[in-house]
Each structure stands twice: as structure tokens, then as C-alpha cells.
Amino acid sequence: MAELQARITAVDPVWERICTEARAAVQNEPLLGSLIHAGLLHHPTFERALSFRFSLKLASNEMSEQILREIADEAYAQAPYLIAAARADLVAVYERDAACHRLMQPLLFFKGYQALQSYRIAHWLWSQGRPDMAYYVQMRTSEMFGVDIHPAARIGQGVMIDHAHSIVIGETAVVGDNVSMLHSVTLGGTGKEEEDRHPKIGNGVLIGAGAKVLGNIRVGDNSRIAAGSVVLDEVPPCKTVAGVPARIVGDAGCSQPSVSMDHLLDKQSGA
């Protein structure tokens, strides 16, 4: 076991840091020892811990934990990009969420992170021609986490969904890399059309709490959408929009709004 741990540490310092944090957490709060050992310390790799969490949270009387664990293990074995995306998402949460002080927290406690990884497996199932299983994972993710992401939606890496309650992302939506969004965000359609009908969110976009982006519109890279806004028209790159309906109220204020997480509007903009 010591030799195995040494090999893992050599190639995966992130996982070793998570395990170090977990061991310290057990010492500080022994009552959580069973949970932390089962969720983290029992597993040899990051992806095995992800598989365990996925299966544990989504299992029900309709689908056993063992079956879901096998699905997740298969997904990570066949699609290593899922693991890379999970790592990028983890770092995004750690760097951007002021409430996140350890890398182990999203894995164990943050439903936005866990829901996003569940979506990624659902999307993999969808891409493998297994839509019914993908829909099952979508359903259970919605029931467990209050996050409803269609398995056909396309979401990049380094994405943070903070608080995550009542997130809705539609079938033809696209979300770029390094996007941050808060709770109650909707990326939805505007009617019953069946073609490409959902928003396309660029890289580095910050979407505030309660914002609704509707229709097949483009939100440009490194832009900001203010909390509570309803966006019905295209948003140019590096701009801030606010209001109902949303209008441009100024520049984004920095080169990477999704990283800075600055939601304050420019007072000179009149917003």
C-alpha cells in the first residue's frame, strides 16, 4: 500500500493534497471519520472517489449503487477527458468560491460541483447512444441536487456553479470554458421550437444569481450578466449587461470576470 501511495503521489499531487486534507479533517472531527474514509481515503485515485460519490448520491430503489458505480468507472476509463474536466472544475471552485478553503470540500459537500460531474457522465452516456440511461442520470441529479442539465448540453472545463440551487440548462445550450454561474440561473429557450434554441455562453463569462438567458443567442467571451437580468439579445465580448430586459451598461471591468467574481456594476454606467 505504501508503494502504491508513493506512485500515486508522484503523478498526482492534487489527489495527495486531498488525502492530506482528509486525514487532518478526521483528526479534527472524528465523528466524520467514517464518511471521509468512505468518500476519500478508501480510494486509490481521484476518479475512483468521483465514481463512489456519483453512485452513492444517485442510487435509489430503481437503480443500485453498484450499477451506477460500474457506469461511472466505465465512463472514466473510456473518456479520460471527464477526469481532466473534473479536476479543472475542482480548481475553479477552490480558486473562485470564497467559502472553499480545501480541495476536499467540493468532492464531499458542494452540490454544484457534484451535480456538474453527474452531468458529465450523463453527457458521456448521451454521446455513447444511451439516451435513456442519460435521462435517468439527469432525473436523479435534478432530484438530488436541484440542478437540471440536459445531457445533450455541452459544457466546457473549469466551470464553477456556486450554491447551484435551481440551475436549468437546456438541450442545445453550450457553455464555454472557465465560466462561473450562481444559483437560479436558467439557460433556456423561448418557445416550442425543436431546433437549436438555447444560449451559447462564451469562455470566461460570469452569470449572476437568478439571471435568465433565453433563446439561441451568443454571450461573448469574458462578459458579465448581472444578477436577476433577463437576456434576450446577443451580448458582445467583455461587456456587462443588466436589467429586464438586459441592456449593455458598461465594460466587464476586468479581463477575467468569471475568475475575479466581481458582481459590482460601474456606478458611472447608471445601472
Side-chain angles (χ1 to χ4, degrees):
M1 182 64 185
E3 292 179 1
L4 174 62
Q5 191 65 42
R7 290 198 299 271
I8 292 171
T9 301
V11 298
D12 193 355
V14 171
W15 178 239
E16 173 59 19
R17 176 172 170 179
I18 291 171
C19 291
T20 299
E21 294 174 351
R23 286 188 286 268
V26 172
Q27 289 184 335
N28 292 332
E29 185 55 86
L31 292 177
L32 288 177
S34 177
L35 181 153
I36 294 172
H37 274 279
L40 297 176
L41 295 174
H42 177 71
H43 306 285
T45 62
F46 176 70
E47 55 268 30
R48 290 287 292 275
L50 282 174
S51 292
F52 173 81
R53 203 68 182 161
F54 167 81
S55 61
L56 178 71
K57 300 300 286 187
L58 269 59
S60 71
N61 292 333
E62 297 176 313
M63 186 75 64
S64 72
E65 186 178 336
Q66 180 62 37
I67 292 174
L68 289 169
R69 181 82 172 269
E70 291 173 0
I71 290 171
D73 286 341
E74 181 185 5
Y76 291 135
Q78 293 190 17
Y81 68 85
L82 294 173
I83 306 169
R87 290 173 179 276
D89 298 338
L90 185 70
V91 173
V93 176
Y94 178 72
E95 291 182 343
R96 302 175 205 169
D97 186 350
C100 185
H101 308 292
R102 293 166 295 170
L103 287 173
M104 62 171 269
Q105 286 177 266
L107 275 168
L108 289 182
F109 305 129
F110 289 8
K111 71 176 184 177
Y113 178 80
Q114 295 175 32
L116 184 56
Q117 305 323 307
S118 297
Y119 147 78
R120 294 197 186 283
I121 292 177
H123 183 71
W124 176 80
L125 288 164
W126 186 272
S127 72
Q128 297 296 302
R130 302 170 67 180
D132 291 326
M133 187 62 76
Y135 281 132
Y136 174 81
V137 173
Q138 177 194 8
M139 176 191 73
R140 287 296 293 152
T141 301
S142 178
E143 290 174 347
M144 288 303 299
F145 301 117
V147 174
D148 196 349
I149 306 175
H150 194 285
R154 291 179 288 154
I155 300 179
Q157 300 186 12
V159 173
M160 183 190 73
I161 304 179
D162 194 13
H163 301 294
H165 192 70
S166 298
I167 295 286
V168 176
I169 299 178
E171 178 180 11
T172 60
V174 177
V175 178
D177 295 332
N178 301 316
V179 169
S180 295
M181 67 180 74
L182 279 79
H183 54 284
S184 300
V185 164
T186 297
L187 306 181
T190 57
K192 290 177 64 67
E193 68 274 16
E194 296 182 1
E195 300 295 329
D196 196 349
R197 61 193 185 278
H198 294 108
K200 310 299 179 282
I201 308 298
N203 299 326
V205 174
L206 174 60
I207 308 178
K212 317 299 177 187
V213 187
L214 305 178
N216 183 15
I217 59 175
R218 171 77 183 176
V219 176
D221 294 349
N222 302 310
S223 58
R224 295 192 303 175
I225 300 173
S229 299
V230 177
V231 183
L232 302 174
D233 298 308
E234 302 272 332
V235 178
C238 303
K239 296 295 182 182
T240 295
V241 297
V244 182
R247 61 182 179 86
I248 297 173
V249 297
D251 294 329
C254 65
S255 60
Q256 294 182 303
S258 66
V259 175
S260 69
M261 296 295 293
D262 183 0
H263 295 267
L264 296 178
L265 299 179
D266 184 354
K267 294 181 180 179
Q268 294 181 349
S269 68

